[in-house]
Amino acid sequence: PPTYTVSYDPPMARRPPPWRRTGTLVALLAVLAALASAAAVLAVRDGSTPPAISAPRPDLAAGTRVDKPLGPLALIDEHGRRTSLQAFAGRWVVLAPSLTLCHEVCPLTTGALERVQQAVRDAGAGDRAVVAEATVDPWRDSPARVRAFKRLTGTDIRFLTGTAPEIRDLWKELGVYYRRVAQDDPPDVDWWTHRPETIDVQHSDGVFLIDPQGHLRAAVPGMPDVGGLPHRLTALLNDEGRENERHPDSPWTADQITDDLWALMGRAAPQRPAPARAATPPAAAAHNGEADLIADAPDRLTPALRRLRGRPVVLNEWASWCPPCRLEAPLLAAAAARYGNRVAFVGLDVNDAPAAARTFLAAHPLGYASYGDDQGHAAAALGRFAGLPTTIFLDAKGHVAFVHSGGYTDASTLDDDIAQHAP
């Protein structure tokens, strides 16, 4: 079997990798489930009482079901008028975090949501659903800037802003991470003022579906897979944004969002024409048991790990027949959702029957891809294998920083290891 270019370095304190801007710095989307058999809880950063989450159902294409009542949550519309989430009572809301000065992911989100909005209108449900973005940049996204952004891009997606405390309350309630940081050198240029930007905003990427009663009903993490954008939006992307357009992390599509919306509304999805391009390969998108298991680990794992260079990786070796693996799976799924794209998670299904592994993943979705290693060759090539489960922590250069033998039994121990060995 082929060998793997993974060397061993003893554990050491390291600075975080040089994450760049908003798009791929998805530091945390703390809205997905710690899935455990038929029920779970929502991971919320502020420690508030988590809402109930139902077991995954096949009628949701990308989202995790949630039932969390939301408060009024005051906001400001693009015309400077006071509004709130409660103002949309009686309609479904498709909501995504965004900012007008994002050059990495948000233009992709806008393009994807335009397609969601068009699909809703084409289905005759325009009076039943609102598609909107809300800022994670209250420091700069004034109503005047939002109006200028809409004139620049030609989008008619509703864009909400608010005061710093209002935006903090909104995203705290939905479990979205964001923070203001310094710009890179050289900085991006503000499309409105044509001056170098001085700050940037790191934030989580994803979409939320809120029902007419004001309950959060589904959360979808990750970046949109748009398959091409009009120039009015691609013109806003920098090099990192163009790379995200080609290879989105944890991708979702506009079709998946609309399908989830129809499922939650209790209506059949309308017929749509066949896609114009090939679907995202399973290696890039893993949201169901069939796609989550990628065959031929000896051939595919090394290229996948190479693509993840620049990020720390948590590589979990597991099998469907392994009881400790089954117990720790919800902890790993929840951790992958909490850390978003700041830490990459990869599974390696070792000495297992592919059919059994797919059945396991369909019942216990991890939210990240696993590679099938039915002969154990990839695990042997990685080394440091001491039975199942084994979790290998790789640093941003692809070196082994730490190996945890045995299953994790609590989230705090896993979080401590991630903080120490995958910062």
Side-chain angles (χ1 to χ4, degrees), residues 96-275:
S98 187
L99 68 151
T100 64
L101 283 167
C102 174
H103 305 280
E104 293 77 23
V105 175
C106 303
L108 307 176
T109 301
T110 298
L113 291 186
E114 286 179 346
R115 297 176 189 177
V116 173
Q117 181 168 265
Q118 190 60 51
V120 168
R121 291 171 176 171
D122 291 346
D127 59 342
R128 297 188 58 195
V130 175
V131 180
E133 295 175 85
T135 191
V136 288
D137 186 5
W139 307 281
R140 296 177 295 182
D141 275 341
S142 64
R145 177 178 282 277
V146 169
R147 293 195 301 271
F149 175 80
K150 296 187 73 169
R151 289 193 299 269
L152 176 72
T153 61
T155 187
D156 62 348
I157 295 294
R158 192 165 303 195
F159 201 110
L160 302 166
T161 186
T163 65
E166 288 166 348
I167 296 303
R168 180 193 63 223
D169 290 346
L170 170 68
W171 296 125
K172 181 179 180 181
E173 187 77 0
L174 289 170
V176 167
Y177 167 93
Y178 71 97
R179 71 184 178 106
R180 184 170 56 178
V181 297
Q183 263 285 338
D184 280 348
D185 184 17
D188 289 313
V189 175
D190 186 324
W191 50 262
W192 197 21
T193 67
H194 305 293
R195 297 174 180 172
E197 297 175 28
T198 58
I199 68 167
D200 200 356
V201 179
Q202 299 178 355
H203 70 95
S204 305
D205 290 304
V207 181
F208 302 92
L209 304 183
I210 301 167
D211 72 14
Q213 290 72 46
H215 286 216
L216 174 63
R217 296 294 303 280
V220 182
M223 300 180 186
D225 181 4
V226 293
L229 282 178
H231 178 72
R232 58 189 171 82
L233 293 172
T234 57
L236 298 175
L237 296 172
N238 58 18
D239 289 344
E240 186 175 322
R242 287 184 283 274
E243 178 63 18
N244 289 335
E245 182 183 11
R246 292 188 294 267
H247 304 291
D249 285 322
S250 302
W252 50 265
T253 67
D255 285 349
Q256 288 176 323
I257 299 301
T258 52
D259 284 350
D260 283 358
L261 180 62
W262 304 139
L264 291 167
M265 292 173 70
R267 58 180 289 169
Q271 291 285 338
R272 63 171 63 97

Side-chain angles (χ1 to χ4, degrees), residues 56-68:
R57 290 176 52 180
D59 59 352
L60 288 191
T64 295
R65 284 180 174 266
V66 183
D67 190 0
K68 175 186 170 87

